[in-house]
């Protein structure tokens, strides 16, 4: 690359104390405004990338893992077209509404759907948030809440809730499921790898950016403040080797939860693999929780937490 000669390296330093020339004032303000807007847009994009990592292409369908299923097409209250699946259960019982995590789409949860079907046996409705898979639109906090309402409305309309509904949320999905059950109480909730708040998560994972990103994450998915109002029976599941959402966050949510509650630690499990690494401990926690809900044994003392 050819470099130009440019100005001499050593130039006399001239102090100027007079007023800034008029033509430069608008230019300086424009530069400052442009810099602020760029920083704002950059922080907004960074937060969105941190929260949402959707994939459009589906990697498969429940039939690929031997499950009968029904394709679902429905719309959110603001007119966004959504997509999901209904996997019938092996037995009568509550319907599970599955709120998945921040990455991928419904097709990346086929193994969990298979295990839920085999071990728990309940019908499962899983859906993609806006911007994920075949669902239209772009993800946002309020948008995901609206999508959760639409999913539950569909479950009611189809009569799948005649034995009650259990909301199952993982990671980001736990935040959406928690919001949903506060809006409309459920038979029970399963919150897996749940975080206290996005603000605290950003401070923990990106401490150097926390000060800059603060205004964009304050009050976003405030699970810790919301769980204090939770009255539905809730099972908390968390891997003790979760490096994305530390298990301590799960315990703080459990301690703050106002309703009947149970906690199960999955030894050796990280953020994405509790259902697999947790093995029988994971699925027995599910089975026991569902049995209690069906038997209406909802006292929090019925199953002490395993600290």
């Amino acid at each position: 690359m050819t470099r130009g000669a440019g100005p001499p390296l050593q130039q006399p330093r001239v102090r100027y104390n007079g007023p800034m020339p008029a033509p430069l004032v608008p230019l300086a303000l424009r530069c400052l405004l442009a810099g602020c807007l760029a920083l704002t847009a950059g922080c907004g994009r960074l937060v969105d990338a941190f929260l949402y990592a959707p994939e459009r292409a589906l990697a498969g369908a429940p039939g690929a893992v031997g499950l009968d299923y029904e394709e679902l097409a429905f719309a959110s209250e603001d007119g966004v077209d959504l997509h999901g699946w209904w996997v019938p259960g092996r037995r009568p019982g509550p319907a599970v509404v599955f709120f998945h995590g921040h990455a991928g789409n419904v097709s990346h949860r086929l193994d969990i759907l298979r295990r839920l079907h085999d071990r728990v046996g309940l019908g499962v409705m899983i859906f993609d948030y806006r911007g994920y898979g075949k669902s239209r639109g772009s993800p946002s906090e309020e948008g995901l809440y609206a999508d959760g309402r639409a999913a539950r409305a569909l479950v009611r309309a189809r009569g799948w809730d005649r034995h009650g509904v259990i909301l199952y949320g993982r990671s980001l999905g736990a935040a959406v499921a928690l919001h949903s059950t506060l809006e409309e109480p459920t038979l029970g909730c399963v919150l897996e790898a749940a975080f206290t708040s996005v603000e605290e998560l950003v401070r923990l994972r990106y401490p150097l950016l926390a000060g800059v990103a603060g205004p964009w994450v304050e009050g976003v998915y405030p699970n810790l403040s919301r769980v204090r109002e939770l009255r539905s029976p809730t099972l908390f599941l968390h891997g003790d080797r979760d490096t994305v959402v530390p298990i301590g966050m799960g315990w703080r949510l459990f301690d703050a939860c106002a309703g009947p509650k149970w906690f199960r630690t999955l030894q050796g499990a990280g953020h994405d693999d509790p259902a697999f690494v947790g093995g029988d401990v994971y699925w027995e926690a599910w089975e026991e929780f569902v049995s209690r809900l069906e038997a209406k044994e909802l006292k929090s003392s019925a199953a002490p937490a395993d600290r």
Side-chain angles (χ1 to χ4, degrees):
M1 181 173 67
T2 303
R3 297 182 183 274
L9 295 178
Q10 299 294 331
Q11 300 187 56
R13 298 182 180 181
V14 178
R15 184 181 299 276
Y16 178 71
N17 295 318
M20 181 180 291
L24 293 182
V25 174
L27 176 61
L29 289 176
R30 287 199 299 270
C31 289
L32 179 60
L33 179 59
C36 291
L37 290 175
L39 181 61
T40 299
C43 283
R45 286 194 296 270
L46 179 65
V47 171
D48 284 348
F50 176 73
L51 288 176
Y52 312 113
E55 291 186 25
R56 284 295 191 182
L58 298 187
V65 293
L67 295 174
D68 294 331
Y69 72 102
E70 178 184 345
E71 292 273 359
L72 303 176
F74 58 108
S76 194
E77 60 197 28
D78 55 354
V80 177
D81 292 329
L82 304 174
H83 169 262
W85 295 319
W86 168 252
V87 177
R90 294 186 292 104
R91 64 177 182 84
V96 176
V97 181
F98 189 168
F99 297 75
H100 66 67
H102 89 294
N105 56 53
V106 289
S107 69
H108 301 106
R109 279 78 190 179
L110 294 177
D111 286 342
I112 297 181
L113 285 175
R114 175 80 249 183
R115 285 165 170 77
L116 273 171
H117 183 270
D118 291 347
R119 291 298 299 262
V120 185
L122 301 178
V124 179
M125 189 264 198
I126 185 171
F127 68 101
D128 267 328
Y129 316 118
R130 59 189 65 203
Y132 288 73
K134 292 182 178 181
S135 295
R136 307 298 294 272
S138 300
S140 67
E141 182 179 6
E142 291 303 320
L144 266 61
Y145 294 154
D147 298 344
R149 286 191 288 271
R152 295 190 62 183
L154 180 63
V155 169
R156 284 195 306 274
R158 297 294 298 271
W160 295 327
D161 64 337
R162 57 185 172 273
H163 298 293
V165 172
I166 299 172
L167 303 188
Y168 169 38
R170 288 205 73 261
S171 191
L172 176 65
V176 186
L178 172 58
H179 181 273
S180 180
T181 199
L182 290 179
E183 284 192 329
E184 181 184 350
T186 59
L187 182 64
C189 241
V190 178
L191 303 181
E192 182 177 322
F195 54 83
T196 50
S197 70
V198 170
E199 184 176 5
E200 188 167 11
L201 204 55
V202 169
R203 285 203 307 268
L204 178 70
R205 296 194 61 196
Y206 304 103
L208 296 179
L209 296 176
V212 177
W216 288 269
V217 296
E218 184 178 359
V220 176
Y221 297 113
N223 296 336
L224 186 58
S225 63
R226 285 179 174 159
V227 80
R228 295 186 176 100
E229 304 171 18
L230 181 58
R231 298 293 187 272
S232 298
T234 303
L235 171 64
F236 292 85
L237 299 168
H238 219 115
D240 66 350
R241 295 188 181 180
D242 190 333
T243 58
V244 177
V245 178
I247 192 171
M249 285 192 172
W251 275 116
R252 289 174 63 199
L253 291 170
F254 173 83
D255 288 340
C257 179
K261 55 192 176 183
W262 296 264
F263 194 105
R264 188 66 74 238
T265 299
L266 290 315
Q267 301 290 337
H271 187 68
D272 296 318
D273 58 7
F276 310 105
V277 175
D280 286 340
V281 173
Y282 179 92
W283 293 110
E284 286 168 4
W286 258 99
E287 292 163 352
E288 291 169 8
F289 183 62
V290 171
S291 294
R292 291 190 187 101
L293 295 180
E294 292 180 315
K296 302 187 185 303
E297 296 176 3
L298 305 181
K299 292 182 180 179
S300 58
S301 59
D306 59 342
R307 287 191 184 270

